[in-house]
Amino acid sequence: MMNICRLSVLSKFAKFGDPLVCNLRNAGKCTTPLHHRRTFKTHSRNLAYAKDLFLGQLNKDEVFPYPQIGNEELEEIKQLVAPVERFFSEEVDSAKIDQEGKIPPETMKGLKELGLFGIMVPEEYGGLGLSNTMYARLAEIISLDGSIAVTLAAHQAIGLKGILIAGNEAQKQKYLPKLASGEHVAAFCLTEPGSGSDVASMTTRATLSEDGKHYLLNGSKIWISNGGLADVMTVFAKTEVVVDGVKKEKITAFIVERAFGGITSGKAEDKLGIRGSNTCEVSFDNVPVPVENVIGEVGGGFKIAMNILNSGRFSMGSSASGMIKKLIELSSEYAATRKQFTKSLSEFGMIQEKFAGMALNAFVMESMAYLTAGMMDRPGIPDCSLEAAMVKVFSSEGGWICVSEALQVLGGLGYTKNYPYERYLRDCRILPIFEGTNEILRMYIALTGMQHAGKVLTGRIKELKRGNIGLALGMVGKKIKTSLRSSVDLGLTGKDGVVHPSLTESAKKLEENVQYFGSTVEGLLYRYGKTIVEEQLVLKKVADVMIHLYAMTAVLSRTSRSISIGLRNHDHEVLLTNTFCSEAFFKNNFWLTQLQKHAPENNDANIKKIAKEVLEKRAYICSHPLERTF
Amino acid sequence: MTRIRFLLQLQGLGQVGLSRFAAQHGALLQSAFCLQPNLIKNAQRQVIKHFHGSLVCAKRNSVPSAQPLNEDKKSNDSALIHADLFDHVSGTFKTKATFNKAIDVFIKSDVRRRGHVEFIYAALKKMPEFGVERDLAVYNKLLDVFPKGVFVPRNFIQRMFNHYPRQQECGVQILEQMENYGIMPNLETKVLLVQIFGEKGHPVRKYQRIMYWFPKFKELNPWPIPKDLPTDPVDLARFSLARIADDLDAQVTVYQVPHTDVTEKGEHVTLPHIVGIQSPNQIELLAKHNPDRPVFIEGPFPLWLRKTCVHYYILRADPTPADEKEECPYDPESCLAYPLALDLDLDRDMGDDETFDVEICNEGPVFAMCMTGQGDEATLNQWISGLQQKNPILGQVPVLFLLEGRTTELKISSDKESDSQNSQHEDHQTQDRRSKVEANR
């Protein structure tokens, strides 16, 4: 009975709650006309999975059933994967690439022949024209060599993506065929010495020439992957734009060919990992760029840059899982054969734990990556930037831990250059850094969700603050109801359930977490309002909970499907799912408890104070224990 | 006074009934002393301190220039005699060696060490004169003058009452002077004190208290000043400026090294040092300064480093008037990765607003600071022209001088920068205050 009541309340809220709240907000806004709005995302879908989690809602239709590809595509990918796999296992000498800091030309040639330079370029432009899902599948294999993976990613995930998503037909005709074939290599030039994500401090400028046919590009960009090889670059520069009669500096994206002249590449950086990839500084000195080479509109570069970056991240999940799967194979063989105390390593609990951890991580990453890729492949222009960011954060951090654990299994041997582990470890250290550092992505995840939840909840919170007793009582009532009810029901299980019954327990955990998360977010908005932007430690926890909620969803969805269609070893998947869900459940509960007001678990104030004292002196300030004798 | 001696002797013999009598008389005597004009004069600076379990009030000066408790003309005389001994032994050379020699002379002169309390008081007084007031070894040597074992109480009754109060008081006085000069006793001191006064004597207690508090206070100051300040004015300025600025990014620039030039006419011209400090933030602030508004050079402001006073000048501007302040509106296209501001109509809840209600005083920016040996406009102009290299805007901004005449006090201290000179010329009171402050550091 109660459940039905609650459901009807929920549906009512979903249907009528929004307009009501909007009205309230608009009423408030009348006093401040022309409120500046940040259009951070496009509302292409009515439903958004990740964002609505912030409201404590679980839009199961978005993520259940687990996306799958058609039979034709399946055949195609199978045909593609085999030769790529063979190429990587037989012809790519990763150790040599790492040592020499260069991908040999014959390897590059092989990659080009396989069509790996134009995986996502439509077939009419000479590419393979594959979907995001298939791209993710190939990325799994490509990631076996970090240098090649980064070179290819810089080429097509960001380098030529601008032309692909925002270029006009002429630009596509002109550039894409050569880029897809690998005849030309692309690069993406955004970062500057004084400006990473902070675009406002960009100094590279493009000024229109007197005849109005060219832009003259001046400035320099750093850390450009493929900067030394690229023939075609997507360059972002500030241009003068007149908006409403006021001159403004706005960012514009340009296609710049090396052949235009005036481009110099610096010395390749000597890096910790991905040593075979080319990273260097690129300087532009009065480079004449024809006006036809502006991507999109003049002054519209910000959105393009954002879209390119947001769309390229999802594949990191499958890359990392591909790497871990390979490492599991390598290190498990060692663990099985190495004997200590008349037992093989694989019989020791602590070694077993490492393998279980690796399998769990690989499984979760894989699930998240293909769920997100599947969502992106839906018709329309779905906005999955939030989901993609979550995949990236989770897999880059999980990847680092797993590689380190795999190395640990081998002990000292893993530390030597005789084995590939140290190379993997160095290579994968870049994952949490590039394509948006994990810190920045966590902010993105949390703030995007907060913005979404805030829009819906502002009216209600304001009423509450104004002292609306009815609303307050309603909330108290709701809280009592949830505390009395043994479990939360958001519709994952039961009559209209989408989760396989054997995963009921895990699904319940997800539901409970989602509900708790929703109420916590509301509490945070109530407490901090828009100043939550300053509360990075709070946002970090919010993002972490969010990532784990999404991960739980992904594994539940995937395993439900696996059981239903009877995939081999699906009982192992059930095991992994249940293990991960209960682990994530505890973690989430802990973080959410920390987020409550005055939580004794929360050390944030102390952490900030420690950091402040250390940073003030820019040193570790404790006296040395041997400094003085009493 | 002879009566007191007699009483004390009685007490020393451990006669309980009589010692009470003595204590009463002690109190009486105490009040009698208070009436003496020479003590009333100092009464304000004196702290009355009680020993536990003792009715005899100890009265002492809180200053290094210690005065004995049971002071009368006779002992004053003997103290004078001992002071003469110091002068006699040292002659014109007042050093540690001669001080030690004087002590040795005293020790050897009489096996019974008669009058050692008076001698120690006299020695304590003489210490600054010999420049040994910060020498732990000398204090230990002075403690060594006490005969060992004589004053150690032998039973609980002696322990209960103030055994040999004069001697104990004298021992405390030595520690007191060490404390005032910030000298920490060492193990040798403790051994001596235990040998002289026993495990539970007042001096040993005092020692324990010192050892409890001193290490805690010693390094309490997060911005310690080295004991020996640099003597080179440029180094001193460098140190002081870095200390005031408290910004790790700030850069010290020496605009002019002090030197003497000979002009064509053969006159000697001494050029003062000019040392300035400026941080990147200040450069940025100055670059944004409205060139129509003047900047001011203000000073000299004093900065005390232990007993040294140095002066500095600042380059500042008036606070920007409210109508000139530019507010940069939030640009949604300023951060690629995440929104820097949320588009929400919700403010922080009052319960979570942990900031204090602070009345913000609108102060103008300080752009740079400098120290120079000569605070006239010509010299400071040189500083400004030096600053122009990094702050080209200074070429367009009018610079006004707001230089105050130095006050007398400042003049005195700036003229004599070294410690020793200071202590010699300044009256006792100021010195006392300073040394207190120093001890607290």
Side-chain angles (χ1 to χ4, degrees):
Chain A
M1 186 60 205
M2 257 179 193
N3 284 352
I4 295 168
C5 265
R6 214 165 154 285
L7 269 177
S8 65
V9 165
L10 251 179
S11 58
K12 239 191 233 166
F13 184 70
K15 274 177 198 157
F16 309 114
D18 270 3
L20 262 178
V21 170
C22 288
N23 284 344
L24 271 173
R25 241 208 10 260
N26 288 343
K29 254 188 194 166
C30 287
T31 47
T32 53
L34 260 177
H35 201 92
H36 207 92
R37 257 192 70 185
R38 172 164 177 73
T39 46
F40 203 71
K41 60 261 143 178
T42 47
H43 284 282
S44 54
R45 290 177 295 167
N46 292 333
L47 291 169
Y49 179 72
K51 276 179 208 163
D52 276 353
L53 285 180
F54 280 81
L55 293 165
Q57 292 169 13
L58 217 156
N59 294 329
K60 54 182 180 178
D61 296 340
E62 286 289 299
V63 285
F64 290 97
Y66 198 72
Q68 50 183 2
I69 51 175
N71 272 328
E72 258 177 57
E73 262 189 299
L74 193 65
E75 280 308 309
E76 198 185 340
I77 195 79
K78 276 188 178 157
Q79 280 174 12
L80 253 173
V81 163
V84 176
E85 233 162 22
R86 202 178 320 121
F87 178 77
F88 270 84
S89 62
E90 286 168 14
E91 299 192 24
V92 174
D93 185 354
S94 296
K96 195 178 151 206
I97 292 175
D98 181 60
Q99 211 166 22
E100 291 179 359
K102 196 169 173 274
I103 303 171
E106 58 272 17
T107 310
M108 286 293 258
K109 197 169 154 249
L111 291 170
K112 285 170 191 172
E113 276 166 7
L114 283 166
L116 294 180
F117 274 74
I119 301 175
M120 288 177 77
V121 176
E123 279 169 275
E124 69 232 59
Y125 302 116
L128 296 178
L130 297 185
S131 61
N132 288 307
T133 310
M134 310 240 275
Y135 177 72
R137 177 70 186 98
L138 286 179
E140 231 176 89
I141 310 162
I142 295 171
S143 70
L144 293 181
D145 186 281
S147 303
I148 293 176
V150 169
T151 305
L152 288 179
H155 169 75
Q156 56 192 336
I158 49 179
L160 60 78
K161 203 66 161 271
I163 306 175
L164 203 61
I165 61 178
N168 56 32
E169 193 51 40
Q171 288 166 347
K172 286 184 184 174
Q173 291 285 4
K174 186 173 176 196
Y175 290 106
L176 285 182
K178 281 187 179 170
L179 288 170
S181 68
E183 191 182 334
H184 282 173
V185 176
F188 181 79
C189 308
L190 177 72
T191 313
E192 290 185 13
S195 116
S197 301
D198 170 20
V199 201
S201 46
M202 186 181 276
T203 54
T204 303
R205 285 220 146 56
T207 39
L208 201 56
S209 63
E210 279 173 15
D211 56 0
K213 285 182 182 165
H214 286 92
Y215 277 98
L216 289 178
L217 201 62
N218 278 298
S220 72
K221 302 279 185 183
I222 54 164
W223 296 321
I224 307 304
S225 300
N226 294 352
L229 321 169
D231 309 285
V232 177
M233 292 173 232
T234 311
V235 183
F236 293 85
K238 278 198 166 166
T239 45
E240 211 165 67
V241 182
V242 180
V243 185
D244 305 330
V246 187
K247 276 186 185 175
K248 268 191 176 174
E249 297 258 285
K250 287 204 140 196
I251 292 160
T252 307
F254 297 93
I255 308 171
V256 181
E257 293 176 36
R258 193 178 286 273
F260 291 162
I263 302 176
T264 42
S265 307
K267 200 174 142 266
E269 304 284 346
D270 192 8
K271 304 185 291 291
L272 172 74
I274 51 167
R275 296 178 61 85
S277 71
N278 176 286
T279 310
C280 65
E281 188 182 334
V282 179
S283 318
F284 303 93
D285 179 30
N286 274 328
V287 181
V289 185
V291 281
E292 331 49 294
N293 273 22
V294 171
I295 308 180
E297 292 170 25
V298 175
F302 182 81
K303 234 178 213 169
I304 295 172
M306 215 167 64
N307 284 338
I308 295 173
L309 289 173
N310 283 343
S311 65
R313 291 185 185 122
F314 74 98
S315 68
M316 204 176 284
S318 62
S319 309
S321 74
M323 198 167 65
I324 297 168
K325 284 191 268 183
K326 175 85 180 170
L327 286 177
I328 290 178
E329 276 172 32
L330 290 174
S331 54
S332 62
E333 197 178 318
Y334 177 83
T337 47
R338 164 92 171 164
K339 293 243 167 161
Q340 286 284 291
F341 316 116
T342 67
K343 268 181 170 179
S344 72
L345 273 191
S346 54
E347 284 172 73
F348 292 108
M350 282 193 235
I351 301 293
Q352 289 167 352
E353 191 192 10
K354 293 186 202 308
F355 284 99
M358 283 190 269
L360 266 173
N361 260 310
F363 176 69
V364 178
M365 281 173 208
E366 209 176 55
S367 310
M368 286 171 89
Y370 287 101
L371 175 63
T372 312
M375 283 161 86
M376 288 169 80
D377 280 335
R378 282 182 203 165
I381 317 160
D383 174 29
C384 294
S385 54
L386 198 55
E387 283 85 351
M390 291 194 278
V391 173
K392 194 258 173 180
V393 174
F394 185 88
S395 49
S396 57
E397 277 165 21
W400 170 251
I401 294 169
C402 288
V403 175
S404 161
E405 289 284 45
L407 188 150
Q408 185 73 18
V409 170
L410 273 86
L413 284 181
Y415 200 66
T416 61
K417 291 224 173 195
N418 303 335
Y419 288 82
Y421 301 92
E422 59 87 30
R423 177 168 47 79
Y424 276 113
L425 193 79
R426 284 186 285 115
D427 284 354
C428 90
R429 190 61 189 81
I430 190 65
L431 299 183
I433 298 171
F434 72 174
E435 297 207 30
T437 63
N438 284 4
E439 286 72 23
I440 272 186
L441 287 180
R442 280 200 165 90
M443 290 291 283
Y444 173 72
I445 295 164
L447 284 177
T448 313
M450 281 289 171
Q451 174 74 72
H452 179 71
K455 278 197 172 147
V456 180
L457 296 175
T458 304
R460 225 161 63 132
I461 292 172
K462 284 204 140 179
E463 277 295 300
L464 257 173
K465 284 197 177 179
R466 217 172 285 145
N468 187 332
I469 295 181
L471 202 61
L473 282 179
M475 273 187 71
V476 172
K478 206 172 147 196
K479 273 206 176 139
I480 293 174
K481 260 188 209 168
T482 38
S483 61
L484 286 179
R485 222 182 358 246
S486 58
S487 64
V488 189
D489 187 3
L490 297 177
L492 284 184
T493 55
K495 196 162 152 270
D496 287 330
V498 284
V499 171
H500 193 273
S502 55
L503 298 168
T504 307
E505 232 169 82
S506 298
K508 282 284 165 213
K509 281 176 183 158
L510 172 62
E511 285 177 338
E512 202 175 304
N513 269 172
V514 169
Q515 162 106 9
Y516 192 7
F517 183 57
S519 64
T520 306
V521 165
E522 193 174 336
L524 289 175
L525 281 169
Y526 183 92
R527 285 171 61 194
Y528 298 113
K530 60 185 172 198
T531 61
I532 197 155
V533 182
E534 311 298 322
E535 304 289 330
Q536 292 211 343
L537 294 184
V538 170
L539 291 174
K540 184 191 172 203
K541 293 185 188 88
V542 169
D544 280 337
V545 174
M546 188 60 214
I547 292 166
H548 279 78
L549 289 180
Y550 186 58
M552 283 163 97
T553 315
V555 290
L556 281 171
S557 176
R558 173 184 176 178
T559 311
S560 293
R561 171 177 171 270
S562 303
I563 304 170
S564 304
I565 65 171
L567 285 184
R568 196 186 303 276
N569 289 337
H570 66 249
D571 50 340
H572 186 66
E573 284 185 32
V574 174
L575 189 62
L576 289 173
T577 304
N578 284 333
T579 315
F580 177 75
C581 283
S582 69
E583 216 172 77
F585 178 67
F586 285 123
K587 279 186 195 164
N588 281 341
N589 277 336
F590 179 64
W591 284 321
L592 289 169
T593 313
Q594 281 190 319
L595 285 175
Q596 306 305 311
K597 202 172 179 178
H598 304 310
E601 291 88 351
N602 192 332
N603 256 337
D604 289 357
N606 285 354
I607 287 168
K608 277 189 188 170
K609 205 169 163 189
I610 293 170
K612 197 180 149 226
E613 285 172 10
V614 168
L615 290 172
E616 234 164 45
K617 290 277 185 305
R618 299 189 194 171
Y620 169 77
I621 56 174
C622 295
S623 298
H624 195 275
L626 304 181
E627 185 174 289
R628 197 173 78 185
T629 303
F630 180 73
Chain B
M1 208 64 230
T2 42
R3 190 141 174 212
I4 299 171
R5 285 259 170 81
F6 166 69
L7 289 171
L8 291 175
Q9 273 167 8
L10 283 179
Q11 205 178 11
L13 289 169
Q15 298 188 359
V16 186
L18 279 173
S19 65
R20 179 172 294 167
F21 170 61
Q24 279 166 0
H25 277 255
L28 271 178
L29 284 163
Q30 185 82 49
S31 55
F33 288 147
C34 286
L35 291 173
Q36 283 178 11
N38 65 330
L39 282 173
I40 289 168
K41 192 177 68 189
N42 293 334
Q44 279 172 334
R45 290 194 284 124
Q46 286 173 344
V47 186
I48 293 171
K49 192 171 172 184
H50 294 272
F51 280 154
H52 284 290
S54 165
L55 281 171
V56 180
C57 284
K59 209 166 197 193
R60 64 193 172 80
N61 289 340
S62 56
V63 293
S65 56
Q67 284 180 340
L69 165 70
N70 299 329
E71 188 182 15
D72 64 358
K73 266 189 185 165
K74 201 172 163 190
S75 67
N76 243 349
D77 288 348
S78 59
L80 276 177
I81 294 163
H82 292 307
D84 286 345
L85 168 71
F86 276 100
D87 292 335
H88 179 72
V89 170
S90 65
T92 47
F93 303 105
K94 301 202 165 178
T95 59
K96 184 180 171 181
T98 51
F99 192 86
N100 281 341
K101 202 173 151 199
I103 296 176
D104 288 335
V105 166
F106 174 78
I107 290 174
K108 276 173 199 151
S109 65
D110 186 359
V111 183
R112 292 177 193 81
R113 310 230 173 129
R114 209 169 290 149
H116 65 268
V117 173
E118 286 80 4
F119 172 77
I120 289 170
Y121 280 129
L124 285 176
K125 234 176 173 177
K126 283 277 174 193
M127 282 175 92
E129 215 173 291
F130 283 77
V132 289
E133 76 275 18
R134 288 175 203 281
D135 197 324
L136 177 60
V138 174
Y139 283 103
N140 283 342
K141 194 168 172 72
L142 210 51
L143 270 180
D144 210 16
V145 172
F146 281 111
K148 312 290 174 303
V150 186
F151 311 131
V152 180
R154 300 203 188 141
N155 53 46
F156 74 97
I157 294 166
Q158 286 181 344
R159 213 167 287 129
M160 202 154 58
F161 294 94
N162 209 358
H163 197 51
Y164 284 104
R166 235 174 120 244
Q167 281 74 7
Q168 290 209 39
E169 178 61 22
C170 181
V172 169
Q173 213 43 249
I174 295 178
L175 290 169
E176 179 85 15
Q177 182 161 334
M178 290 168 76
E179 189 182 333
N180 288 334
Y181 280 114
I183 308 298
M184 206 156 98
N186 63 2
L187 200 66
E188 195 191 337
T189 319
K190 188 188 179 180
V191 170
L192 280 168
L193 287 172
V194 170
Q195 279 176 353
I196 300 163
F197 299 108
E199 287 279 2
K200 305 239 161 136
H202 292 299
V204 177
R205 304 265 188 181
K206 171 88 186 166
Y207 166 85
Q208 284 165 342
R209 274 194 290 274
I210 290 178
M211 291 309 272
Y212 179 79
W213 287 112
F214 252 48
K216 291 178 181 60
F217 286 147
K218 212 174 172 183
E219 275 157 36
L220 201 62
N221 187 355
W223 300 280
I225 305 178
K227 201 147 227 142
D228 301 310
L229 287 167
T231 45
D232 179 30
V234 174
D235 286 344
L236 186 66
R238 202 187 282 274
F239 171 77
S240 335
L241 284 171
R243 193 177 158 79
I244 312 171
D246 194 29
D247 183 343
L248 295 170
D249 289 324
Q251 256 198 341
V252 177
T253 319
V254 180
Y255 296 102
Q256 186 171 290
V257 186
H259 61 281
T260 313
D261 261 355
V262 183
T263 57
E264 290 169 8
K265 292 173 191 169
E267 289 170 26
H268 286 266
V269 179
T270 315
L271 293 171
H273 65 277
I274 308 174
V275 183
I277 193 166
Q278 198 179 28
S279 70
N281 285 342
Q282 287 174 318
I283 293 177
E284 209 175 296
L285 264 179
L286 186 52
K288 281 185 198 157
H289 181 75
N290 180 0
D292 297 337
R293 301 192 162 276
V295 290
F296 306 98
I297 295 180
E298 211 173 324
F301 298 105
L303 170 74
W304 283 97
L305 302 162
R306 288 186 192 271
K307 290 183 180 178
T308 313
C309 181
V310 287
H311 292 94
Y312 64 95
Y313 298 82
I314 60 170
L315 178 70
R316 67 162 185 89
D318 281 335
T320 330
D323 52 311
E324 262 187 43
K325 269 182 196 162
E326 277 180 50
E327 273 193 36
C328 29
Y330 165 62
D331 177 13
E333 296 200 350
S334 58
C335 178
L336 253 182
Y338 60 90
L340 292 177
L342 288 186
D343 174 26
L344 288 181
D345 195 16
L346 274 177
D347 282 320
R348 188 178 273 253
D349 189 51
M350 286 209 309
D352 276 277
D353 194 359
E354 279 157 3
T355 50
F356 294 102
D357 189 14
V358 181
E359 193 187 348
I360 293 167
C361 168
N362 198 6
E363 274 188 29
V366 173
F367 299 125
M369 284 184 292
C370 91
M371 278 187 179
T372 170
Q374 199 176 317
D376 53 7
E377 289 192 16
T379 318
L380 291 170
N381 252 329
Q382 231 169 324
W383 171 45
I384 294 298
S385 51
L387 273 177
Q388 268 189 41
Q389 283 185 351
K390 280 186 185 168
N391 307 278
I393 197 175
L394 278 175
Q396 311 156 31
V397 185
V399 180
L400 301 183
F401 289 88
L402 300 176
L403 303 181
E404 296 161 20
R406 294 178 179 184
T407 61
T408 11
E409 191 202 359
L410 299 180
K411 212 170 224 163
I412 288 171
S413 35
S414 66
D415 287 343
K416 311 164 216 132
E417 287 196 338
S418 69
D419 277 14
S420 58
Q421 275 177 322
N422 246 346
S423 54
Q424 274 179 8
H425 289 275
E426 269 163 1
D427 63 318
H428 265 295
Q429 213 157 346
T430 340
Q431 194 193 350
D432 295 343
R433 200 179 57 229
R434 293 237 186 96
S435 53
K436 265 287 179 215
V437 169
E438 203 166 15
N440 287 341
R441 276 201 192 119

